[in-house]
């Protein structure tokens, strides 16, 4: 299905409204699973398989322009800082746009991105539960987590050169946040928590061990939830350890960031972050320094409440190979 076909199919969900122009770069991100294959992916896409985890990250330029309707604003994709990871493969974007069309009672977000080497990736999200509301040109009004629910319509997929393609399901939320350079690759998704979204972890900064400039951020969490980050050189998969609702995706030995000032609270925004000291990475036997060539894996554990019962959960997990 082409970009124009997707736009035409879902733009009818919005009526006249008004959007103002953004004033700072943002990142639009979403995750899903490959549920359908159309044709036979080949070349750079030959490794794509059913069940692969998909992580989309789009950097949007700071200034928008009027869109094709009076209620729409179009933002240009910035290739530097934008990518999509499908399973073990990562693809860069050559160009693209993100269009937001707002009616007051619903909003449509359409991302149409051209992949380097050919092909296209698209995300279409009609939000009727917590519309993307704008009352001024402050970019902060874009920021937040928008849940995908039964009252929302979404399409998430890619068309490959030669006619093949994929479509994806399992999208629980679309996240819009301030842009920061992100590093690492997500290899394990989070389990849905009491907010209806998955918890996510990001690594922001540099993957240069000598630069010692890396910050972890957990988002999509319940409000005012306590939690902390975990680290390991090994990956694993332990379902619901210790009665948790989530999956622990790290292997032994696992270090915990629970020193002074390291245990976090998600606050009203449902997120927290921690600036790492790469010379003092925790392990069960003491701190060690990250060295070039090592791969470290990160995840966050956090508290939650479901049906009045105190539980815990884990975010997604990602790996970072240091230079």
């Amino acid at each position: 299905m082409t970009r124009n076909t997707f736009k035409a199919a879902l733009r009818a969900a919005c009526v006249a409204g008004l959007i103002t122009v953004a004033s700072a770069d943002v990142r639009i991100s979403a995750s899903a699973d490959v549920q359908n294959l159309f044709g036979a992916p080949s070349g750079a896409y030959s490794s794509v398989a059913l069940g692969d985890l998909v992580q989309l990250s789009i950097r949007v330029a700071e200034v928008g322009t009027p869109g094709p309707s009076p209620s729409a604003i179009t933002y240009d994709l910035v290739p530097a800082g934008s990518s999509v990871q499908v399973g073990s493969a990562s693809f860069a974007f050559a160009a693209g746009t993100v269009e937001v069309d707002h009616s007051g009672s619903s909003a449509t977000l359409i991302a149409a991105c051209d992949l380097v080497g050919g092909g296209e990736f698209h995300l279409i999200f009609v939000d009727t539960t917590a519309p993307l509301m704008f009352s001024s040109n402050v970019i902060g009004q874009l920021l937040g987590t928008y849940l995908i629910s039964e009252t929302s319509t979404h399409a998430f997929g890619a068309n490959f050169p030669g006619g093949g393609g994929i479509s994806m399901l399992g999208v629980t939320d679309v996240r819009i946040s301030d842009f920061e350079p992100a590093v690492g690759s997500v290899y394990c998704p989070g389990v849905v928590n009491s907010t209806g979204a998955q918890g996510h972890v990001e690594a922001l900064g540099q993957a240069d061990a000598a630069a010692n400039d890396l910050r972890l951020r957990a988002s999509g969490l319940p409000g005012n939830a306590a939690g902390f980050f975990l680290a390991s050189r090994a990956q694993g998969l332990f379902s619901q350890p210790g009665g948790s609702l989530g999956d622990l995706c790290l292997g032994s030995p696992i270090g915990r960031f629970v020193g002074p000032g390291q245990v976090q609270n998600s606050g009203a925004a449902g997120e927290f972050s921690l600036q790492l000291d790469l010379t003092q990475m925790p392990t069960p036997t003491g701190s060690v320094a990250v060295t070039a060539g090592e791969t470290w894996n990160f995840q966050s554990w956090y508290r939650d409440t479901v049906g009045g019962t105190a539980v815990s959960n884990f975010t997604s997990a990602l790996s970072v190979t240091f230079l």
Side-chain angles (χ1 to χ4, degrees):
M1 187 174 290
T2 66
R3 177 190 307 178
N4 290 336
T5 301
F6 270 95
K7 286 186 176 182
L10 289 180
R11 189 176 292 123
C14 292
V15 295
L18 179 65
I19 292 180
T20 53
V21 174
S23 59
D25 286 10
V26 300
R27 181 188 302 279
I28 300 172
S29 52
S31 58
D33 300 312
V34 175
Q35 301 264 332
N36 295 290
L37 290 174
F38 304 102
S42 60
Y45 310 99
S46 60
S47 64
V48 173
L50 291 174
D52 277 351
L53 176 65
V54 181
Q55 294 286 328
L56 175 68
S57 179
I58 302 172
R59 179 181 180 180
V60 176
E62 61 182 0
V63 178
T65 58
S69 72
S71 60
I73 290 290
T74 297
Y75 302 90
D76 287 333
L77 174 144
V78 179
S82 299
S83 65
V84 60
Q85 179 185 337
V86 184
S88 60
S90 182
F91 308 110
F93 291 121
T97 60
V98 173
E99 177 188 313
V100 182
D101 199 336
H102 179 246
S103 70
S105 60
S106 65
T108 304
L109 184 150
I110 303 173
C113 313
D114 298 323
L115 294 168
V116 171
E120 181 184 84
F121 206 95
H122 48 255
L123 167 66
I124 302 175
F125 170 40
V126 179
D127 181 10
T128 60
T129 57
L132 299 162
M133 299 294 290
F134 298 84
S135 60
S136 72
N137 63 353
V138 177
I139 190 63
Q141 295 201 20
L142 274 170
L143 308 184
T145 297
Y146 300 90
L147 298 181
I148 300 289
S149 70
E150 292 181 357
T151 57
S152 298
T153 303
H154 64 281
F156 196 11
N159 299 317
F160 298 142
I166 57 176
S167 65
M168 286 144 278
L169 299 174
V171 186
T172 61
D173 54 87
V174 173
R175 303 175 303 283
I176 304 179
S177 58
D178 288 320
F179 175 80
E180 296 180 68
V183 298
S185 300
V186 174
Y187 65 89
C188 182
V191 172
V192 172
N193 57 41
S194 63
T195 71
Q198 299 171 349
H200 303 275
V201 67
E202 298 174 282
L204 307 168
Q206 304 180 62
D208 184 340
N212 197 10
D213 177 24
L214 193 70
R215 182 167 65 92
L216 298 179
R217 178 170 67 191
S219 61
L221 310 181
N224 298 307
F228 53 82
F229 291 102
L230 306 166
S232 176
R233 294 186 184 94
Q235 297 181 4
L237 181 59
F238 303 94
S239 183
Q240 300 182 329
S244 172
L245 297 182
D247 296 328
L248 175 61
C249 300
L250 305 182
S252 180
I254 299 173
R256 302 187 301 164
F257 291 92
V258 292
Q262 293 182 332
V263 176
Q264 304 288 312
N265 186 285
S266 64
E271 63 178 59
F272 52 69
S273 63
L274 179 68
Q275 186 71 35
L276 303 188
D277 181 354
L278 299 182
T279 70
Q280 297 289 321
M281 295 289 283
T283 74
T285 56
S287 298
V288 299
V290 173
T291 60
E294 287 186 335
T295 297
W296 282 79
N297 306 285
F298 302 99
Q299 194 170 17
S300 179
W301 174 92
Y302 60 94
R303 294 191 181 279
D304 198 358
T305 301
V306 176
T309 301
V311 295
S312 68
N313 207 330
F314 293 91
T315 63
S316 57
L318 64 77
S319 63
V320 177
T321 298
F322 290 92
L323 306 175

